[in-house]
Amino acid sequence: METIKVLLEDQEIPRQWYNIQADMPTPMRPPLHPATGKPVGPEDLAPIFPMNLIEQEASTQRWIDIPEEVLDKYLIWRPTPLCRARNFEKLLDAPVKIYYKMEGNSPAGSHKPNTAIPQAYYNKIAGVKHLSTETGAGQWGSALSMACQMFGLGCRVFMVKVSYEQKPYRRMMMNVWGAECIPSPSNLTEAGRNVLAEHPDSPGSLGIAISEAIEDAVSHPHAKYSLGSVLNHVMLHQTIIGLEAQKQMAKIGVCPDVVMGCAGGGSNFAGISLPYVRDRIHGKSEVKIVGAEPTSCPTLTRGPFAYDFGDLAKMTPLLPMYTLGHDYVPAPIHAGGLRYHGMAPIVSHLVKENLVEARAYHQLDTFEAGVMWARSEGFIPAPETDHVIAAVVDEARRAKEEGKEKVILFNWSGHGMVDLASYDAYLTGKLLPYEMPDEEIARALRAISGFPKP
Amino acid sequence: METIKVLLEDQEIPRQWYNIQADMPTPMRPPLHPATGKPVGPEDLAPIFPMNLIEQEASTQRWIDIPEEVLDKYLIWRPTPLCRARNFEKLLDAPVKIYYKMEGNSPAGSHKPNTAIPQAYYNKIAGVKHLSTETGAGQWGSALSMACQMFGLGCRVFMVKVSYEQKPYRRMMMNVWGAECIPSPSNLTEAGRNVLAEHPDSPGSLGIAISEAIEDAVSHPHAKYSLGSVLNHVMLHQTIIGLEAQKQMAKIGVCPDVVMGCAGGGSNFAGISLPYVRDRIHGKSEVKIVGAEPTSCPTLTRGPFAYDFGDLAKMTPLLPMYTLGHDYVPAPIHAGGLRYHGMAPIVSHLVKENLVEARAYHQLDTFEAGVMWARSEGFIPAPETDHVIAAVVDEARRAKEEGKEKVILFNWSGHGMVDLASYDAYLTGKLLPYEMPDEEIARALRAISGFPKP
C-alpha cells in the first residue's frame, strides 16, 4: 500500500496570504481612469468596493494576515489534500509523477470559496449589507452565495445566460444558500437592456454580467460589488492553495518541475502558482509555470498585452492585461469559467515578464482528458479543470518524447457534478472543436485600438 | 482558531473490516429458500454472487482483511475527515457537540464506493466480466459504475424510474464512468415487462429494479449481480466508516452519547454504527444508536419483523427483516435511497434485540434540516442525509429539554449536488409531507402473511 495523500492538520493551515506585489521584478502598470488617463486612486474604487479590500488591492506588503473569522470558515474544508495521481500516471505511461491539489471538495465544489469567504467577511466588517456579482459557469456565484449566507449578507448573482440555461443546478445551489440568481443580460440594468435591445438572443458573457453587477451595486444603498477573479486581492486570497501545496511538498521532500492551472480570469492558476513564482524570482527554483486556456478564448496565447476595460459597458478602470477586447463574446463552450476576454493583471504581468507561460487546448481534447481522469482517478473534473488535465497529458507526452523525468503539480480546481450535461454532450458526439478565427480576433481588437498603450 | 477536523493519515487507514456476526448476542435467523423453507446454502447463491463474497456473507470471523488492491483505491479519498459542526451547533443553541463523518467527498459523492470497490475487486478475481445492479437515487449505481471501470468490468444499472427522471445527472455520471443506465421497470427483463403490463406508469421501486438486475445477471454469461445494501457483506465493507470514526474520536478523547445514520437498506447506518454496537455488546459503552427513516417508508418504525423477499419478483431468498411487504411501492419522495420496503437483516436483528432504535421523519422536516445545514456548514447534503440531520436536530431539542449535555456522532452519507432539483421543489413550495396510511401498510403486509415466521 503506497501513500497517496499528503495532509495538513487544521493547526498547520497558513495564517497569512502571500502578496506577489512585494516581489515583482519590474513594477506593474497601474489601472487607469478612462476619463482622465491617470492612475485610479482609492476614491475611484470606493463606490464599488469597501476600503479594506481597496487597501489590499494596492498593497505591497508581502504577507497579509488571514483574519480569525476567515480561518474559522476555511477550516470547514481546508487545508485541502495534496494527492498523487498514480492511476492516471499508469494510464499515461510517461516518466512523470503527478501531484494535484484537491480544491474540488469545498462546499461549493471549487477553489472559489477561498476568496468568497474573505470578501464577504471584509464587506461585513465594513458595514455592507448586500453584495452583487456576476458568474460564468456558476462556480463563483455559488461560492459567494454561500459566503454571504455565512456572514449574514444578501447576495444577487448575474449569471451568463448560456451557463444559466446549461447548468440549472448552479442556480438552485445559489438558492439553497439564500441568494438570488438572474440570467444575464437581464432587464434589471441599463447595461443589460442595451445588450438585449441590440442582441435579444445574446448568450451573455462575463463582460456583460460584470457591467450588470456593478450597475446593480452602485444603484442600491449599502450594496457593494464583488469580483471572483482578475483583481489583485482575489489572487492574494487564492495563494492559500500554493502555500499549502509548498508545505505539503516539503513534507515529502519533493519539488515540482512544472506547476499548472487552467486560466480564465486567472485566480485558480495564480492561487497555486504565485508562491512558486516567488521562488523563481528569488532564484530559488527553475520551476516552469504553465496556464492552460481554451482555444475558443485564447487570451494569453493570442491576445495582445494592452489597456482594456474589464467589462463590456466600460464601467471598470482600464486594466493592463492580455485581452481579446472587452466586447468579445466567446463561443458558448462548456467551460463557462474560462470565457473571459481578459486576464488578471498580475498573471498578465508575469507572462509579459516570461515568468509564466500559456498554452491553449481544444474543447474536445479537454473533455477527452477529463474522461480519462474520471475513469482512472474517480473524481469527475469541472470542464474548466479538464483544460489543465489536458495540459498535464500534453506535458507527460513531452516528457516521454524528451526522455526526461518530471514532477508535475497542478490545481484540480473544481468538480463537474453540476456540469454533467456537458459530459453528456461530449459522450454523445454533440460537442464540436472550436478555434477563434483570426478575423474575429482582429475585429475584437479594433475596439481597444485608441486606448493608452502600456 | 478552534480545530474543526480530525484527520487520519493514509497509513492509519484500518486494514480490516469488522464483522458483527462474530459478536451477535443471539443467533441471527438464516435466510430461507422459498421453495423448501430450508436455510439457503452457498450453492443457492452461486448463480448470482461469486464464491468469495458468498463466503463473506456467511462468515463469523470477527476481523476480515481488506485486500491491498482495495486499500489502494480507498486511499483516493479515504480516510475521510471527522468534523465538528460548530456553526450548526450555534444555530441549534442546545447543549450538544455534533461530530460528523464526511462521506460525501468520495468521487461518487457518498459512502457507496466503500462497498462498490471491494465488490468489483472480488468479482474481478473470481473471473467475472460484467456486473448488473439496481439503484434508487443513483448513489449506488454511480459508485458501482466507477468501481467496475477501475477494475475493468462492464456494468449495467437498473435505475428506479422516478429517480432516473428526477435526477438525470446521475445517469450521466454513470455514463462518464462507462456504465449503461436503464430506467426500471424496463422492457429488457421479464420482471420489468410484467410490471409494465399491469402498471405502464409505474414509478418503479428498488424491489422491482432488484428483480430486473438479478434476472439480467443470471441470463448473461460471466455476469453476476451486485447489491449496494441489505446484505451482510455490504454492511461489513461499510464498517470502515465507524472504525475510522473510533480512531478519530480516540485521538481527541471524546466518546459519543448518540450515534446516528439515515436508514434505507441500512448500509451507511450500519457502517458508522456497527463498531459502536460491538462496544455496547461487550459492555464497554452505553452509547445510544439511532437510525432515521422517512415516514413515507417507515420500515423499522411501522413494519413487522418477518420473513420476506428482498425484491418484487421473489427472486431473492426469504430474509429475516423488518419489512413493509415486498410489493410495497413507496410514494415517490426525493430521498430515493430510502425507498426500500425492507431493511438489512443485520440492522433488523439489532433493532429486534433493542441494541438499535429507529425514528421516522417527514420529508418537509428533513429538507428544512438540510437547508439549515447548508446555510451554516456550507455542504449541501443528499436528501437521504437530510433525514439523519433532522434526527440530529430532534436529538438536540431533546437534550435541551432534558438539560443534558450530549455528544452526537452522525454519518454525513452523501452530498446533494445532483439532487438540487428536489431542493428547488422544496424551496418553491412544491413538496408535500407524506405519511404512509395504515390501510396501505395493512394491504402491503397481506402479501407476506403466509410466509414462515422468524
Side-chain angles (χ1 to χ4, degrees):
Chain A
M1 194 190 87
E2 276 182 298
T3 295
I4 288 180
K5 297 186 296 303
V6 187
L7 307 177
L8 295 176
E9 299 286 341
D10 284 6
Q11 59 272 25
E12 294 176 284
I13 196 169
R15 307 299 172 109
Q16 298 177 309
W17 294 298
Y18 166 60
N19 182 9
I20 197 161
Q21 292 186 80
D23 287 316
M24 282 292 188
T26 55
M28 284 176 68
R29 285 83 172 168
L32 301 181
H33 196 293
T36 64
K38 297 266 188 302
V40 295
E43 66 289 356
D44 295 313
L45 298 172
I48 57 172
F49 296 118
M51 202 46 75
N52 46 20
L53 285 177
I54 293 171
E55 281 161 17
Q56 278 191 356
E57 185 65 17
S59 171
T60 54
Q61 191 184 319
R62 182 169 291 113
W63 297 101
I64 294 184
D65 288 345
I66 305 176
E68 282 290 309
E69 293 84 347
V70 171
L71 284 172
D72 276 347
K73 303 299 181 196
Y74 272 180
L75 287 182
I76 291 176
W77 78 99
R78 303 204 71 88
T80 63
L82 177 79
C83 310
R84 174 104 182 254
R86 288 187 192 276
N87 301 293
F88 194 63
E89 287 173 12
K90 272 182 213 141
L91 205 62
L92 295 179
D93 188 31
V96 291
K97 288 182 184 167
I98 301 172
Y99 293 87
Y100 66 101
K101 190 70 171 150
M102 177 37 110
E103 293 293 307
N105 282 344
S106 77
S110 77
H111 67 292
K112 291 293 188 189
N114 297 335
T115 184
I117 297 277
Q119 287 196 46
Y121 167 76
Y122 285 115
N123 273 284
K124 173 78 175 179
I125 60 168
V128 175
K129 304 287 183 209
H130 186 100
L131 287 178
S132 290
T133 195
E134 78 296 325
T135 197
Q139 301 273 22
W140 167 245
S142 50
L144 191 70
S145 300
M146 179 187 78
C148 283
Q149 178 64 238
M150 286 178 169
F151 288 103
L153 299 177
C155 184
R156 176 178 277 184
V157 181
F158 291 87
M159 184 170 185
V160 175
K161 194 179 276 170
V162 58
S163 292
Y164 183 93
E165 285 162 2
Q166 280 174 352
K167 303 181 178 185
Y169 280 24
R170 279 284 167 196
R171 187 262 304 159
M172 297 176 194
M173 205 184 297
M174 297 179 219
N175 295 157
V176 170
W177 283 315
E180 194 185 352
C181 175
I182 293 151
S184 164
S186 79
N187 277 313
L188 290 185
T189 67
E190 200 183 319
R193 287 189 294 270
N194 287 344
V195 173
L196 289 172
E198 208 171 331
H199 307 286
D201 296 329
S202 166
S205 73
L206 271 178
I208 299 168
I210 291 173
S211 301
E212 290 209 272
I214 294 178
E215 185 185 328
D216 186 59
V218 298
S219 54
H220 287 90
H222 307 296
K224 294 285 179 194
Y225 167 69
S226 172
L227 187 62
S229 193
V230 178
L231 297 180
N232 301 343
H233 66 271
V234 179
M235 306 297 127
L236 173 78
H237 301 154
Q238 292 292 356
T239 59
I240 188 143
I241 302 170
L243 294 169
E244 286 181 8
Q246 288 190 324
K247 277 194 177 191
Q248 288 162 313
M249 294 296 262
K251 274 197 179 186
I252 52 171
V254 176
C255 283
D257 299 299
V258 192
V259 175
M260 308 181 117
C262 61
S267 81
N268 96 77
F269 174 53
I272 192 145
S273 64
L274 293 185
Y276 286 99
V277 174
R278 176 175 182 242
D279 290 349
R280 276 199 59 160
I281 292 172
H282 291 293
K284 285 197 215 153
S285 107
E286 295 285 305
V287 60
K288 189 163 70 174
I289 295 162
V290 181
E293 63 182 12
T295 52
S296 58
C297 193
T299 313
L300 288 172
T301 50
R302 298 181 66 194
F305 183 75
Y307 268 112
D308 194 6
F309 288 104
D311 70 320
L312 180 70
K314 309 181 185 178
M315 300 185 75
T316 70
L318 286 168
L319 300 172
M321 61 183 178
Y322 285 88
T323 176
L324 296 167
H326 58 268
D327 68 353
Y328 174 52
V329 179
I333 59 160
H334 280 276
L338 305 185
R339 293 174 74 246
Y340 183 60
H341 69 273
M343 178 58 61
I346 282 179
V347 172
S348 294
H349 189 74
L350 294 169
V351 170
K352 184 86 183 146
E353 294 291 324
N354 294 315
L355 286 160
V356 161
E357 61 184 274
R359 297 176 194 160
Y361 295 92
H362 281 276
Q363 181 165 249
L364 288 182
D365 295 335
T366 65
F367 275 99
E368 185 187 0
V371 170
M372 278 172 62
W373 181 275
R375 291 186 177 180
S376 55
E377 292 291 333
F379 292 105
I380 299 176
E384 291 80 7
T385 311
D386 286 344
H387 286 72
V388 66
I389 297 175
V392 169
V393 172
D394 184 24
E395 190 67 24
R397 185 186 49 75
R398 293 176 193 215
K400 200 170 179 176
E401 282 169 12
E402 296 166 23
K404 262 198 205 163
E405 289 190 5
K406 281 185 192 169
V407 175
I408 300 171
L409 166 66
F410 79 96
N411 196 17
W412 206 94
S413 57
H415 69 61
M417 291 283 135
V418 286
D419 305 295
L420 284 160
S422 54
Y423 280 92
D424 201 46
Y426 168 70
L427 291 172
T428 53
K430 291 186 196 119
L431 283 196
L432 296 172
Y434 182 80
E435 196 157 348
M436 191 179 174
D438 288 339
E439 59 274 19
E440 211 178 320
I441 298 187
R443 187 211 58 72
L445 292 179
R446 279 196 292 275
I448 61 171
S449 56
F451 293 177
K453 298 284 171 271
Chain B
M1 194 190 86
E2 275 184 298
T3 294
I4 288 179
K5 297 186 296 301
V6 187
L7 307 178
L8 296 177
E9 299 285 342
D10 283 5
Q11 59 271 23
E12 294 177 283
I13 196 168
R15 308 299 172 109
Q16 298 177 309
W17 294 298
Y18 166 60
N19 183 7
I20 197 160
Q21 292 186 80
D23 288 316
M24 282 293 187
T26 55
M28 284 176 67
R29 286 81 172 169
L32 301 181
H33 195 294
T36 64
K38 298 268 190 298
V40 295
E43 66 289 356
D44 295 313
L45 297 173
I48 57 171
F49 295 119
M51 202 46 74
N52 46 20
L53 285 176
I54 293 171
E55 281 161 16
Q56 279 189 356
E57 186 64 18
S59 171
T60 54
Q61 191 184 319
R62 182 170 290 113
W63 297 100
I64 295 184
D65 289 343
I66 305 176
E68 282 289 310
E69 292 85 346
V70 171
L71 285 172
D72 275 348
K73 302 298 181 197
Y74 272 178
L75 287 183
I76 291 176
W77 78 99
R78 302 205 73 84
T80 63
L82 176 80
C83 310
R84 174 105 182 254
R86 288 188 192 275
N87 301 293
F88 194 63
E89 287 173 13
K90 270 181 216 144
L91 205 62
L92 295 179
D93 188 30
V96 292
K97 288 181 183 167
I98 301 172
Y99 294 87
Y100 66 101
K101 189 69 173 150
M102 177 36 111
E103 293 292 307
N105 281 344
S106 77
S110 77
H111 67 292
K112 290 293 187 187
N114 297 335
T115 184
I117 297 277
Q119 288 196 46
Y121 167 75
Y122 285 116
N123 273 285
K124 172 77 175 181
I125 61 169
V128 174
K129 306 286 184 209
H130 186 100
L131 287 177
S132 289
T133 195
E134 77 295 324
T135 197
Q139 301 272 21
W140 166 244
S142 50
L144 192 69
S145 300
M146 180 187 77
C148 284
Q149 177 64 238
M150 286 177 170
F151 288 104
L153 299 177
C155 184
R156 178 179 275 183
V157 181
F158 292 87
M159 183 168 184
V160 175
K161 194 179 278 171
V162 58
S163 292
Y164 183 93
E165 286 162 1
Q166 281 174 352
K167 302 180 179 186
Y169 281 24
R170 279 282 168 199
R171 188 261 306 161
M172 297 176 193
M173 206 185 296
M174 297 179 219
N175 295 159
V176 170
W177 283 315
E180 194 185 353
C181 176
I182 294 151
S184 165
S186 79
N187 277 312
L188 291 185
T189 67
E190 201 182 318
R193 287 188 295 269
N194 288 344
V195 174
L196 289 172
E198 209 171 330
H199 307 287
D201 296 327
S202 166
S205 73
L206 271 178
I208 299 168
I210 292 174
S211 301
E212 290 209 272
I214 294 178
E215 186 185 328
D216 186 60
V218 299
S219 54
H220 288 90
H222 307 296
K224 294 285 179 196
Y225 167 70
S226 172
L227 188 61
S229 193
V230 179
L231 298 179
N232 300 344
H233 66 272
V234 178
M235 306 297 127
L236 172 78
H237 301 154
Q238 292 292 356
T239 59
I240 188 142
I241 302 170
L243 294 169
E244 284 181 8
Q246 288 190 324
K247 279 195 177 191
Q248 288 162 313
M249 295 296 261
K251 275 196 179 187
I252 51 171
V254 176
C255 283
D257 299 298
V258 193
V259 175
M260 309 183 114
C262 61
S267 82
N268 96 77
F269 174 54
I272 193 143
S273 64
L274 293 185
Y276 286 98
V277 175
R278 176 176 182 240
D279 290 348
R280 276 199 58 160
I281 292 171
H282 291 293
K284 286 196 215 154
S285 107
E286 296 284 306
V287 60
K288 189 163 70 172
I289 295 162
V290 181
E293 62 182 13
T295 52
S296 58
C297 192
T299 313
L300 288 171
T301 50
R302 298 180 66 195
F305 184 74
Y307 269 112
D308 193 6
F309 289 103
D311 69 321
L312 180 71
K314 309 180 186 177
M315 300 185 76
T316 69
L318 286 167
L319 300 171
M321 61 184 180
Y322 286 88
T323 177
L324 296 167
H326 57 269
D327 68 354
Y328 174 53
V329 178
I333 59 161
H334 281 276
L338 306 184
R339 293 174 72 246
Y340 183 60
H341 68 274
M343 180 57 62
I346 282 179
V347 172
S348 293
H349 189 74
L350 294 169
V351 170
K352 184 84 182 145
E353 293 292 326
N354 294 316
L355 286 160
V356 161
E357 62 184 274
R359 298 176 193 159
Y361 295 92
H362 282 276
Q363 181 165 249
L364 288 182
D365 296 334
T366 65
F367 276 99
E368 185 187 0
V371 170
M372 276 171 63
W373 182 274
R375 291 186 178 180
S376 56
E377 292 291 333
F379 292 105
I380 299 176
E384 292 80 8
T385 310
D386 286 345
H387 286 71
V388 66
I389 297 175
V392 169
V393 171
D394 184 24
E395 189 67 25
R397 185 188 47 76
R398 293 176 192 216
K400 198 169 180 176
E401 280 169 15
E402 296 166 25
K404 261 199 206 163
E405 290 190 5
K406 280 185 193 169
V407 175
I408 300 172
L409 166 66
F410 79 97
N411 196 16
W412 206 94
S413 56
H415 69 61
M417 291 282 136
V418 287
D419 305 295
L420 285 159
S422 55
Y423 280 92
D424 199 48
Y426 168 70
L427 291 172
T428 54
K430 292 185 193 119
L431 283 196
L432 296 173
Y434 182 80
E435 195 156 349
M436 192 178 173
D438 289 339
E439 59 274 19
E440 210 179 321
I441 297 187
R443 186 212 57 75
L445 292 178
R446 280 198 290 276
I448 62 170
S449 56
F451 293 177
K453 298 285 174 274

